[in-house]
């Protein structure tokens, strides 16, 4: 993986808050960079599910084109959405948030780690 310090670029639309230790305060925050990597989805009708008088369409969803993703840069990693990471499995510089931290109401407020898909 990465054994030296890296530059972290957040390509999501919101700040990412890390809590790498239970007693760490304040949390480490990676602000949104202002550039967002996105992945389109393509839907193809694949059938239907019937429930009583209801007919529920079923689609096959495929990952589409990725936009807003810079080329790899030595010493830099990118935080992206899971969809972008799934669409670009050949890139070893793309990470998603992992081990989510939730508040008492169950809302996600941060994470404890990064992950690869």
């Amino acid at each position: 993986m990465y054994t030296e310090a890296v530059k972290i670029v957040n390509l999501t639309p919101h700040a990412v808050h890390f809590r790498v230790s239970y007693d760490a305060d304040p949390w480490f925050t990676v602000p949104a960079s202002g550039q967002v990597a996105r992945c389109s989805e393509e839907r193809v009708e694949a059938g239907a599910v019937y429930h009583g008088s209801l007919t529920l369409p079923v689609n096959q969803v495929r990952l589409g084109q990725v936009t807003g993703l810079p080329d790899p840069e030595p010493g830099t990693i990118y935080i992206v959405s899971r969809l972008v990471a799934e669409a670009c499995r050949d890139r070893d510089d793309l990470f998603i948030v992992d081990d989510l931290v939730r508040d008492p109401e169950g809302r996600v407020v941060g994470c404890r780690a990064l992950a690869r898909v």
Side-chain angles (χ1 to χ4, degrees), residues 9 30 39 46 49 58 61 82 96 116:
V9 178
V30 180
C39 181
V49 171
V58 175
V61 180
R82 184 175 192 100
I96 61 171
R116 303 230 15 243

Side-chain angles (χ1 to χ4, degrees), residues 5-56:
V6 295
K7 176 181 174 184
I8 301 173
V9 178
N10 178 0
L11 297 177
T12 72
H14 48 80
V16 175
H17 306 284
F18 290 92
R19 179 105 187 225
V20 294
S21 169
Y22 285 100
D23 57 357
D25 198 33
W27 294 22
F28 170 65
T29 298
V30 180
S33 68
Q35 180 174 350
V36 179
R38 298 198 185 275
C39 181
S40 65
E41 294 178 324
E42 300 170 357
R43 288 176 175 75
V44 177
E45 188 175 330
V49 171
Y50 304 97
H51 178 75
S53 62
L54 293 175
T55 301
L56 305 170

Side-chain angles (χ1 to χ4, degrees), residues 83-103:
L83 281 178
V84 170
E86 293 275 355
C88 300
R89 287 181 176 268
D90 59 324
R91 298 268 305 253
D92 67 356
D93 58 341
L94 304 183
F95 293 83
I96 61 171
V97 297
D98 190 41
D99 196 6
L100 300 179
V101 177
R102 297 180 185 275
D103 69 11

Side-chain angles (χ1 to χ4, degrees), residues 55-83:
T55 301
L56 305 170
V58 175
N59 294 328
Q60 175 72 43
V61 180
R62 295 184 183 109
L63 299 177
Q65 181 178 3
V66 173
T67 58
L69 183 63
D71 291 332
E73 184 177 313
T76 301
I77 65 170
Y78 300 98
I79 300 173
V80 297
S81 69
R82 184 175 192 100
L83 281 178

